[in-house]
Amino acid sequence: MRLHIKNGFLIDPKNKRDGRFDLVICDGCVEDVLPPGQKVAEADIIDVSGLIVSPGFIDLHTHLREPGFEYKETIQTGTRAAAAGGFTSVCCMANTYPVNDNASVTQDILKIAQESGCVNVYPIGAVTVGLKGERLTPMGELKEAGCVALSDDGQTIANSQVMRLAMEYAKSFSLPIISHAIDPVLAGEGVMNEGLTSTRLGLLGIPHAAEDMMIARDIYLAKLTGASLHIAHLSTREGVNLIKRAKEEGVAVTAEVTPHHLTLTDQAVGDYNTSAKMAPPLRNSEDQEALIEGVKSGIIDAIATDHAPHGVMDKEIEFDQAASGVIGLETALSILLQLFENKSLSINRIIELLTVNPARIAGLKRGSLEKGAMADLVIFNPKEEWEIDPSKFYSKSRNSPFTGMKVRGVVTHTFVSGKRVL
Amino acid sequence: MQLKRKDLLGIEELNREEIELILETARSFQEVSGREIKKVPALRGKTVVNLFFEDSTRTRISFEIAAKRLSADLLTITKSGSSVAKGETLLDTARNLEALGANLIVCRHRASGAPHWLARNLHASVINAGDGSHEHPSQALLDLLTVADRKKRMDGLQVAIVGDIAHSRVARSNIYAFSKMGAQVRVVGPATMIPRGIENFGVRGQCPQVFYDLGNGIQDCDVIMMLRIQQERIIWTPFSSLTEYSRFYGLNREILKRAKEDVIVMHPGPVNRGIELEPEVADGPHSVILDQVANGVAVRMAILYLLSGHS
């Protein structure tokens, strides 16, 4: 069956398309990209006047929690949340139980995704067995089984020797290493950004330096080994500077930022709001500005949600005991559109960092809508207003720092390989 | 007169009028404590629960005496003697107490923000009796009362708080309390004990001055408040030894001469004698430590009384 998506405004950064185009979809692929007004024979028509059509978003950093933490999220609920937020592919982190540190876990995840998922699921394998930072995982087998990258996300590989070996080994299999770069000793028992707000709240802080020095170390190791390094969830101004300098020197480093680090500061912790607790923590407005500037200038390659669902019993407890992480799949687009509305970023740039760039980093043949491409796409109304109410989310969890906020941007359609999933 | 709030969680959210109301009320209760029959019926029929998740003798007993002098029904639950040990969450425990009819819950907890979270989830009034490194409002109020009784004024007083500011809830509450009443606060200690951002903390225009040198820090001060070294809340020891700490940051008769002649020396207790305070200073003419203890009961009676209208 053929589908004619007409009268939309297509933004496809990879193909430098930004204007009125119709899409013809057939057999899961883009059959044609047409100027508006053309007739397509034997096609169902979807009229999307006034809406934006974009390649489906790709999230480099999702916690689907299955296997092991199904009370927080499952592959079914997590991929539904993804579809609702316009994401057609998610790369899921390895900190499940059991940890995705061997091929059989990867295969399991992919099997469950096949059966119950509604968007593409790309597992990320662990760098070290059990995320312990000691022994390397079977990276070759993980890749064969379907892993697209490696990360011990949630943990930092503190031992520089292990990190060096991991980078070299990963390089042999052309897999990027995604680094959760926070020095665990300097971060200590810290639970939020170190500064006036942590002092005011009497909470232990995590200094910027804990992150900056680990990013610097990883860049030096990437330089030493020639491996591909991707820095997860940048939160500091200096982090952006470090990435900039490394790129200027030709180091194979890329970086991502989350919608919450782009739009919030540590003041969001307010009155001990555990939905504003995450690692790395929300920083200052200076950092926030530097991150936006980093997106604008191209130093930061991707926007990733770090969707980290947690149950009530993980979050509705004392702040210092509460789990770190916030959900983000269903709010990412609207939160990012705030940056468009306040003229910080263009929609094109936002979409580029949600589509073609993450596809490139994870080596996925997705994220663009040229003739013959996989028909993964999202259609959204950038103007429609809604109020963020996590009780209405597809995600199983409610830990959003944006609860109650009035935002714009509603996803109306999501297609994965030509099939409508929202 | 009542406070127009359900809970007392910190000094940060109080304005000067509210602080003065509490101090005024406490003064009338000071008188009750001097009577032969130290009891008034103000809280008859109300249930006060002391919910203490962290070791405390002084504050717990002070709240107990305060509740009893107000004729409230009183229940004290400490960490070891309750279902807390069975893994019941803080909120479950508090909700059960509310279901059993508690009107006022006095909470001491190891985690900063724990009483705030209870307050959001309960109809009962919550009084913060110390949360982590955050606030200890009843302590600051009794300190204010003690200073006000001695000095008869607050505006322009120089107040030095000495010790581990970073881990101290007493310091935070007192910085707010004294600045709001017009005093100038200094914080004194080794840099490892001075938290980031302290120079912008508290009341705008009256933020604390930072001193690393004890002598300079207490120079010409009207009030010196020595903090206890809280070894239980420290993860990385922020000084090399207690001996060295005591040598450079302990208050002794000699260094005390740099303060004003009529300086008063305070300590929230319990004192580590010979560490932060030389025994001769703790027991000496400048010390008002026992006044603080006595005033604690009056201030806590005032707090319980002023919040009881809500429950």
Side-chain angles (χ1 to χ4, degrees), chain B residues 221-296:
Chain B
C221 268
D222 302 283
V223 177
I224 302 173
M225 186 179 298
M226 300 303 293
L227 299 175
R228 197 168 72 88
I229 290 289
Q230 308 231 23
Q231 303 198 55
E232 68 275 14
R233 221 166 293 144
I234 297 176
I235 299 163
W236 296 96
T237 313
F239 50 83
S240 73
S241 71
L242 288 175
T243 319
E244 175 157 292
Y245 181 80
S246 149
R247 210 186 124 203
F248 288 92
Y249 296 99
L251 192 65
N252 55 40
R253 284 161 291 176
E254 188 52 38
I255 200 151
L256 190 56
K257 290 179 187 156
R258 295 192 54 180
K260 282 202 185 133
E261 216 170 305
D262 62 346
V263 66
I264 59 172
V265 174
M266 311 178 79
H267 192 293
V271 177
N272 295 307
R273 279 170 184 264
I275 298 177
E276 67 263 6
L277 264 187
E278 191 184 39
E280 288 81 353
V281 175
D283 303 328
H286 299 284
S287 169
V288 295
I289 295 174
L290 292 176
D291 296 8
Q292 290 175 272
V293 176
N295 284 334

Side-chain angles (χ1 to χ4, degrees), chain A residues 292-336:
Chain A
I292 292 170
E293 207 46 50
V295 169
K296 215 189 260 180
S297 63
I299 295 166
I300 296 174
D301 304 86
I303 296 172
T305 66
D306 195 0
H307 179 79
H310 286 296
V312 170
M313 63 192 227
D314 305 313
K315 281 291 195 183
E316 284 290 298
I317 52 174
E318 296 87 330
F319 191 91
D320 61 357
Q321 297 297 304
S324 284
V326 300
I327 53 173
L329 287 169
E330 291 171 79
T331 50
L333 175 64
S334 297
I335 295 305
L336 294 169

Side-chain angles (χ1 to χ4, degrees), chain A residues 185 188-189 194-196 198-204 207-208 271-273 315-321, chain B residues 12 90 109-114 116-117 120 131 133-134 167 172 176 195-198 200-201 235-236:
Chain A
V185 179
E189 307 290 314
E194 181 176 297
L196 178 59
S198 65
T199 292
R200 188 174 71 77
L201 293 172
L203 293 171
L204 287 175
H208 287 59
D271 205 7
Y272 303 96
N273 177 9
K315 281 291 195 183
E316 284 290 298
I317 52 174
E318 296 87 330
F319 191 91
D320 61 357
Q321 297 297 304
Chain B
E12 182 182 1
L90 169 60
H109 201 285
R110 167 205 59 68
S112 299
H116 305 67
W117 174 58
R120 278 199 295 274
D131 64 322
S133 304
H134 179 227
H167 293 89
R172 284 171 177 75
Y176 286 124
R196 282 273 289 278
I198 196 77
N200 294 313
F201 180 98
I235 299 163
W236 296 96

Side-chain angles (χ1 to χ4, degrees), chain B residues 120-132:
Chain B
R120 278 199 295 274
N121 285 285
L122 297 178
H123 299 293
S125 291
V126 176
I127 296 163
N128 181 4
D131 64 322

